[in-house]
Amino acid sequence: MTTAQATSPYQHYVYAYPHKTAYRPLPERPTLASLWAAQDKRALSLYLHIPFCEVRCGFCNLFTRIGAPEGLTGAYLDALERQATAVRAALGDSDEPRFATAAFGGGTPTFLTAPELERLFDIAEHRMGADLSAIPLSVEASPATATADRLAVLDARGTTRLSLGVQSFVDSEARAAVRPQRRADVESALARVRDTGIPVLNIDLIYGIDGQTDETWRRSLDAALAWRPEELYLYPLYVRPLTGLDRHRADAGPDPAWDEQRLRLYRVGRDHLLAHGYTQQSMRMFRRADAPPQGTDDYACQTDGMIGLGCGARSYTADLHYSFDYAVGMHEIRGIIDDYVATTDFGHAEIGYPMDAHEARRRHLLQSLLQAEGLAVDDYRARFGSTPADDFGTELERLADRRWLADDTASRLRLTPEGLAHSDAIGPELFSPAVRAAMAAYERK
């Protein structure tokens, strides 16, 4: 790591480990049946990925394309159904799989029409066997696609959490982030969501936008708080390679002034939400104190079993994380979607990263430590037969030296408030040398 990288608070958002840029083609193309045969399938997560959006925001590096030509969404759902059928067969019947949580993401799942959303639910329930009415189900939406007919489908089919990507209630900031929307339209969408019976509303906001000030940031926070969302996610703005904002960036080098702006706005946002009755769950996530529980997080570090359906989804077994190909550039994404739609054999893993015992320990440490509640040492010892200090003593000492690691209890490892603020520096620092090398060697496309 360079000195600039080591001191920047904003290096990499770690929502899953390893990142897909560390994945590589699997020459042996193992069958899904062989991968899942010996896995614990009593509490799986199910994720369905829809790679379509009505517009691509300037900051977005997600696997998604703008719009869809006639017939593509239907053909995509056809492929999703073929994949679901193959995956469910691979899971077998001798040890009946049970899904404990589900999510529809993207892209924008609500890019689909209301009848297409009905079909998406049918695939999850009838092909995969997930009882969506009995488990937490999160769905992502945009203000433009949160229409009454779509929301009615989500409500009727058991959605327990809807996440609305707002980013800013200030129109000039939305334009600066290349997110064309008007506050009036956002407010109308929020009203439609609140007219449903969906119990948890999450609002995504972004700080660090060009021209954003402490005052305009508080204005967005207060506009969101007026709807009393059960959850709020506060994201620092990143300018990733091959994104819209990246094309307009003159210099990709370190920017200490921007780092300082984002860190200041993070603290403003954190303190504002804490003062308004929210509890901090991670650097990004804040939950209203009286919000209903949502069960296991989609990417809980203790849960290895995850089934991802769709060309941008990833799946986890204890031994292998796997997916389809990954890209950010629009031309390459279109090609991958076209290949997915034409696929008939979904019975093999194509691209992935093998998880050995060391990487499993590192993943558990990393994804637990980045949560506000931290890592229970006894849970770690029960799972791995060692302690975090045994396995990662040097890394933990380094965090403690920076005062990023709390020392108030021996039974739980937790980050200090300042450590949480630097989560996007701590996460990458905990990557293994092998994962770092694979990510560095990845050819962007």
Side-chain angles (χ1 to χ4, degrees):
M1 257 184 216
T2 67
T3 301
Q5 287 176 319
T7 56
S8 172
Y10 302 103
Q11 295 174 38
H12 194 77
Y13 170 26
V14 182
Y15 63 90
Y17 177 81
H19 190 268
K20 284 174 75 173
T21 53
Y23 292 16
R24 293 295 182 270
L26 302 169
E28 68 280 14
R29 295 182 70 241
T31 65
L32 301 190
S34 67
L35 291 176
W36 286 97
Q39 299 297 312
D40 185 348
K41 298 185 279 286
R42 292 173 296 178
L44 299 174
S45 295
L46 178 64
Y47 178 78
L48 274 64
H49 177 253
I50 303 300
F52 305 107
C53 288
E54 75 275 13
V55 65
R56 193 172 200 192
C57 303
F59 52 83
C60 178
N61 71 334
L62 296 178
F63 188 95
T64 188
R65 62 163 290 164
I66 302 170
E70 182 71 26
L72 181 56
T73 54
Y76 184 85
L77 290 173
D78 289 343
L80 196 71
E81 187 160 6
R82 291 196 301 273
Q83 185 188 9
T85 301
V87 171
R88 181 61 188 84
L91 292 176
D93 295 319
S94 58
D95 181 15
E96 187 74 17
R98 184 184 72 85
F99 293 99
T101 182
F104 300 164
T108 308
T110 48
F111 179 89
L112 300 177
T113 65
E116 288 173 332
L117 283 171
E118 292 276 14
R119 187 177 176 196
L120 186 67
F121 277 88
D122 287 345
I123 291 170
E125 293 183 334
H126 305 322
R127 294 298 181 186
M128 290 305 301
D131 185 357
L132 298 181
S133 65
I135 62 176
L137 169 62
S138 178
V139 180
E140 296 173 7
S142 67
T145 61
T147 57
D149 59 338
R150 292 177 171 103
L151 292 172
V153 173
L154 302 188
D155 189 7
R157 298 297 293 265
T159 303
T160 59
R161 177 181 182 269
L162 186 131
S163 181
L164 198 69
V166 173
Q167 319 316 347
S168 177
F169 283 86
V170 179
D171 288 353
S172 61
E173 292 178 1
R175 289 193 299 271
V178 194
R179 175 147 185 125
Q181 66 185 22
R182 297 184 308 121
R183 175 171 175 175
D185 296 330
V186 172
E187 300 279 2
S188 295
L190 286 164
R192 290 192 295 273
V193 174
R194 281 311 200 194
D195 283 342
T196 73
I198 298 172
V200 173
L201 165 66
N202 171 70
I203 297 176
D204 288 345
L205 297 176
I206 285 181
Y207 55 91
I209 300 171
D210 188 31
Q212 193 174 44
T213 66
D214 292 17
E215 191 275 329
T216 63
W217 178 226
R218 287 194 188 91
R219 196 187 311 165
S220 274
L221 292 166
D222 286 338
L225 288 170
W227 293 97
R228 299 198 73 242
E230 284 71 23
E231 295 178 2
L232 275 158
Y233 270 72
L234 308 185
Y235 289 95
L237 179 65
Y238 276 92
V239 178
R240 298 297 196 191
L242 304 181
T243 60
L245 290 179
D246 179 56
R247 289 194 294 270
H248 303 290
R249 182 171 55 167
D251 180 14
D255 191 341
W258 191 32
D259 283 348
E260 179 54 37
Q261 180 210 19
R262 286 181 287 180
L263 199 55
R264 184 186 73 252
L265 291 174
Y266 160 79
R267 290 170 176 147
V268 168
R270 175 198 62 193
D271 295 348
H272 200 68
L273 295 187
L274 293 178
H276 282 78
Y278 286 74
T279 60
Q280 186 168 17
Q281 307 294 306
S282 69
M283 172 187 167
R284 286 164 170 76
M285 182 183 179
F286 296 80
R287 179 176 288 146
R288 214 177 69 205
D290 61 346
Q294 278 294 288
T296 305
D297 230 354
D298 291 340
Y299 295 106
C301 60
Q302 293 85 357
T303 304
D304 283 323
M306 180 168 172
I307 298 291
L309 302 178
C311 60
R314 67 186 87 199
S315 297
Y316 305 149
T317 73
D319 309 305
L320 180 72
H321 291 192
Y322 63 93
S323 68
F324 296 96
D325 202 2
Y326 172 74
V328 175
M330 192 57 64
H331 177 75
E332 287 74 13
I333 287 175
R334 289 194 186 106
I336 294 171
I337 293 173
D338 290 344
D339 288 344
Y340 175 82
V341 166
T343 297
T344 56
D345 175 13
F346 285 107
H348 297 77
E350 304 289 345
I351 295 171
Y353 191 92
M355 295 295 288
D356 60 20
H358 176 75
E359 292 289 19
R361 286 172 164 80
R362 190 173 288 276
R363 177 175 181 252
H364 189 111
L365 170 75
L366 191 154
Q367 294 195 265
S368 295
L369 199 56
L370 297 184
Q371 301 298 311
E373 67 178 7
L375 183 153
V377 175
D378 286 346
D379 289 349
Y380 185 98
R381 184 186 291 110
R383 183 175 181 185
F384 299 114
S386 58
T387 69
D390 294 333
D391 298 330
F392 303 102
T394 301
E395 292 94 328
L396 293 175
E397 286 178 13
R398 195 156 53 234
L399 296 181
D401 289 343
R402 296 172 184 166
R403 303 184 187 277
W404 289 352
L405 194 64
D407 58 2
D408 55 352
T409 174
S411 63
R412 184 172 292 274
L413 290 176
R414 291 187 302 105
L415 295 179
T416 62
E418 195 62 15
L420 274 179
H422 287 79
S423 292
D424 285 8
I426 292 171
E429 191 168 316
L430 293 176
F431 290 2
S432 73
V435 165
R436 287 184 200 166
M439 293 176 66
Y442 173 77
E443 295 184 9
R444 294 192 184 104
K445 54 185 179 182

